[in-house]
């Protein structure tokens, strides 16, 4: 593998949601037992974040269930998530990054994690990678009060691994790796899922073949891994050696795009209630299609039962659609046709538009009623504009007032969580 060495910073906002909630209360995250979770969803809801104090002293991890948190912890705070606030903080952090690098040298990996390529910025002020990283870290803390973990490496993977495996354990939350550090710091890592890029399923397959540490992969035959795992096998082999040829500047543009919406229901839904959820999600998905100026030729609908099992069905449209009426009608028809599922309890519903085309370039057939289609499209755009300008409640369907509808509830959420 041919690589061009860079100076990459992998930056993570430490316990991001918990930090923001502590700051809002004027509390020190390193002295406050706080978890971020929505109590209204019951004791089985996910803990989205835990403060450094409660993680260290009481060993409460993020992403556990609220019922796993010891309620007898003195001064325990269960903070309701505020996604809108977290997004605002994230935007402010990204603005700070842009004071140090050009936009093309920044990759936002998630709401609380980013990569910066600082290769060409160090010589300007005679900085080392550590001193430049420290300037960014201090700026974020001084302006926003957030604490940052930063890993420095020769490429994206090395920087990320350095951050996850080394920097998070240091008192100053800053570490730097070079190729010489790989055998000592990366190879001992076990279980394999602790290495970025290896999930639990891949870990099990690797374990079955005798791979239990990153060093085992590094010492393996590359061709053997390719034969067993294809492109993924080659990728994890080079990662185990500390190599990665991905570049921040080469932005990935997918050939195909999909749009999805979904709902995890907060109680058991009966068979007769699910159509209302299907109708709500059809409106939300088609609103997104209209914003993107796209039409859908294929939509996958996934239905999840209470016991985590479920099924999915495809809706194929000869003429691509962006109408909530058409989508809801076909989804409800297909759902109700499964009469043998009437006795089940339902907890999840998802729509994915997997095959979309540009609405502007779409050429209709001779069998379409263009006048009717035009009027319907104008109506949907008007309703969408009202919802966008004045709020969802100003142009909601009558079904939103029915028991079981999630339309109003979702208006107060971002990404399935409270705003």
């Amino acid at each position: 593998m041919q690589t061009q060495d860079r100076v990459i910073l992998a930056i993570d906002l430490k316990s991001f949601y918990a930090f923001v909630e502590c700051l809002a209360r004027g509390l020190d995250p390193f002295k406050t037992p706080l978890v971020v979770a929505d109590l209204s969803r019951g004791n089985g809801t996910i803990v989205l974040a835990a403060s450094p104090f409660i993680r260290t002293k009481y060993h409460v991890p993020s992403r556990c269930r609220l019922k796993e948190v010891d309620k007898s912890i003195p001064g325990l705070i269960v903070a309701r998530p505020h996604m809108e606030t977290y997004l605002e903080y994230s935007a402010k952090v990204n603005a700070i990054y842009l004071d140090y690098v050009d936009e093309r040298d920044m990759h936002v990996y998630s709401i609380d994690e980013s990569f910066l390529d600082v290769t060409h910025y160090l010589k300007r002020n005679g900085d080392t990678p550590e001193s430049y990283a420290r300037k960014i870290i201090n700026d974020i803390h001084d302006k926003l009060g957030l604490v940052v973990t930063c890993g420095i490496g020769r490429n994206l993977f090395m920087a990320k691994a350095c951050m996850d495996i080394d920097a998070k354990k240091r008192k100053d939350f800053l570490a730097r790796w070079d190729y010489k550090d790989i055998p000592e710091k990366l190879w001992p890592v076990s279980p394999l899922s602790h290495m970025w890029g290896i999930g639990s399923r891949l870990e099990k397959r690797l374990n079955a073949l005798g791979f239990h540490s990153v060093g085992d992969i590094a010492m393996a035959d590359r061709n053997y891994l390719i034969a067993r795992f294809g492109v993924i096998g080659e990728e994890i082999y080079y990662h185990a050696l500390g190599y990665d040829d991905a570049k921040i500047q080469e932005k990935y543009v997918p050939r195909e795009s999909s749009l999805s919406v979904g709902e995890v229901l907060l109680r058991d839904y009966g068979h007769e209630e699910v159509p209302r959820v299907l109708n709500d999600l059809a409106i939300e998905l088609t609103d997104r299609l209209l914003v993107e100026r796209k039409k859908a030729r294929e939509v996958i609908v996934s239905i999840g039962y209470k016991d985590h099992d479920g099924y999915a069905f495809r809706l194929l449209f000869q003429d691509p659609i962006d109408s909530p009426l058409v989508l809801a009608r076909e989804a409800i028809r297909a759902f109700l046709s499964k009469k043998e599922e009437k006795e089940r309890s339902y907890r999840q519903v998802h729509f994915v538009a997997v095959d979309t085309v540009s609405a502007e370039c779409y050429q209709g057939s001779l069998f379409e009623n263009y006048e009717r289609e035009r009027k319907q499209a104008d109506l949907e755009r008007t309703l969408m504009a009202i919802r966008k300008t004045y709020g969802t409640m100003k142009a909601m369907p009558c079904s939103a007032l029915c028991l079981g509808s999630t339309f109003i509830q979702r208006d107060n959420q971002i990404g399935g969580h409270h705003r």
Side-chain angles (χ1 to χ4, degrees):
M1 171 180 284
Q2 299 215 346
T3 61
Q4 183 179 1
D5 289 346
R6 319 286 295 177
V7 180
I8 305 295
L9 310 184
I11 303 179
D12 175 73
L13 305 177
K14 189 171 182 63
S15 303
F16 179 43
Y17 297 170
F19 249 83
V20 172
E21 294 298 335
C22 284
L23 292 174
R25 292 164 171 78
L27 301 172
D28 184 346
F30 292 99
K31 298 179 180 179
T32 304
L34 179 144
V35 294
V36 180
D38 191 345
L39 276 170
S40 67
R41 299 192 174 195
N43 210 27
T45 190
I46 292 288
V47 171
L48 299 178
S51 67
F53 175 79
I54 201 171
R55 294 180 69 173
T56 302
K57 185 168 183 177
Y58 296 99
H59 309 290
V60 175
S62 294
R63 299 293 172 180
C64 66
R65 298 283 177 180
L66 185 58
K67 61 186 176 184
E68 299 172 46
V69 179
D70 183 0
K71 304 304 187 298
S72 66
I73 294 174
L76 174 66
I77 298 173
V78 180
R80 187 180 189 181
H82 297 88
M83 295 306 298
E84 205 162 38
T85 302
Y86 307 151
L87 289 170
E88 289 172 0
Y89 264 88
S90 182
K92 291 176 182 177
V93 172
N94 291 335
I96 291 174
Y97 292 150
L98 293 175
D99 289 336
Y100 292 88
V101 297
D102 186 79
E103 186 176 1
R104 69 187 299 271
D105 293 319
M106 179 176 76
H107 173 66
V108 178
Y109 185 60
S110 66
I111 190 173
D112 61 350
E113 198 167 332
S114 295
F115 293 95
L116 307 180
D117 186 340
V118 300
T119 307
H120 301 299
Y121 301 92
L122 302 180
K123 291 183 179 179
R124 295 180 180 179
N125 298 307
D127 278 298
T128 64
E130 288 91 342
S131 68
Y132 204 68
R134 183 58 66 190
K135 287 180 180 179
I136 300 172
I137 291 170
N138 291 339
D139 205 3
I140 292 172
H141 184 266
D142 293 344
K143 292 179 178 177
L144 301 175
L146 301 173
V147 172
V148 164
T149 301
C150 179
I152 307 171
R154 291 293 188 177
N155 52 58
L156 287 169
F157 171 80
M158 189 185 295
K160 171 69 171 169
C162 175
M163 180 186 72
D164 288 340
I165 296 165
D166 195 354
K168 289 183 177 181
K169 299 176 182 177
R170 297 189 178 225
K171 289 185 178 180
D172 62 354
F173 306 117
L174 177 64
R176 180 185 178 186
W177 282 7
D178 212 325
Y179 293 107
K180 62 181 175 57
D181 298 303
I182 297 302
E184 177 188 352
K185 297 182 177 180
L186 181 62
W187 288 0
V189 170
S190 180
L192 291 171
S193 55
H194 286 183
M195 184 178 96
W196 187 41
I198 297 181
S200 57
R201 293 178 63 184
L202 179 56
E203 179 187 46
K204 289 179 180 178
R205 294 177 63 192
L206 287 163
N207 289 166
L209 296 174
F211 299 99
H212 296 281
S213 71
V214 177
D216 293 338
I217 298 174
M219 295 296 107
D221 181 274
R222 181 177 68 94
N223 293 325
Y224 174 77
L225 290 170
I226 293 173
R228 285 284 186 170
F229 301 100
V231 175
I232 296 297
E234 183 175 34
E235 181 180 82
I236 62 174
Y237 171 77
Y238 282 118
H239 281 180
L241 296 174
Y243 296 118
D244 186 5
D245 62 354
K247 295 180 181 178
I248 290 177
Q249 294 78 12
E250 295 176 354
K251 308 298 183 185
Y252 173 68
V253 180
R255 287 190 192 171
E256 299 179 356
S257 61
S258 63
L259 296 173
S260 64
V261 297
E263 178 79 1
V264 177
L265 304 171
L266 301 184
R267 61 173 175 81
D268 295 347
Y269 270 54
H271 188 268
E272 71 284 355
E273 294 180 291
V274 175
R276 293 167 193 159
V277 182
L278 292 171
N279 185 69
D280 296 340
L281 294 180
I283 294 172
E284 187 171 345
L285 181 61
T286 50
D287 269 4
R288 293 186 61 187
L289 285 168
L290 287 166
V291 169
E292 299 279 342
R293 297 184 180 276
K294 292 181 178 180
K295 289 176 177 280
R297 287 190 293 210
E298 180 180 349
V299 176
I300 297 176
V301 182
S302 300
I303 308 292
Y305 300 132
K306 178 182 179 180
D307 60 4
H308 304 295
D309 196 3
Y311 66 94
F313 53 84
R314 293 174 180 269
L315 301 176
L316 299 173
F317 301 96
Q318 183 175 359
D319 298 318
I321 60 102
D322 57 8
S323 166
L325 295 177
V326 175
L327 179 56
R329 182 187 68 216
E330 294 304 310
I332 293 171
R333 178 193 58 76
F335 172 76
L336 294 178
S337 68
K338 294 185 175 292
K339 296 182 174 58
E340 67 277 9
E341 308 296 336
K342 283 188 175 181
E343 304 306 316
R344 304 298 293 265
S345 294
Y346 300 86
R347 291 303 291 261
Q348 293 189 46
V349 182
H350 290 85
F351 281 18
V352 183
V354 294
D355 187 0
T356 61
V357 297
S358 169
E360 295 174 351
C361 299
Y362 168 67
Q363 182 173 346
S365 71
L366 295 173
F367 305 100
E368 292 183 61
N369 186 327
Y370 287 107
E371 184 61 23
R372 185 182 64 191
E373 294 289 335
R374 184 187 65 76
K375 288 182 178 180
Q376 184 62 38
D378 288 345
L379 173 61
E380 296 304 335
R381 290 191 182 91
T382 300
L383 291 173
M384 183 185 70
I386 293 171
R387 288 193 284 265
K388 183 177 180 180
T389 305
Y390 301 104
T392 303
M393 303 286 287
K394 299 300 182 181
M396 64 181 182
C398 294
S399 60
L401 299 176
C402 295
L403 183 65
S405 172
T406 61
F407 192 89
I408 297 174
Q409 169 191 310
R410 289 179 65 82
D411 184 44
N412 294 314
Q413 295 179 343
I414 296 177
H417 299 287
H418 188 266
R419 285 181 179 271

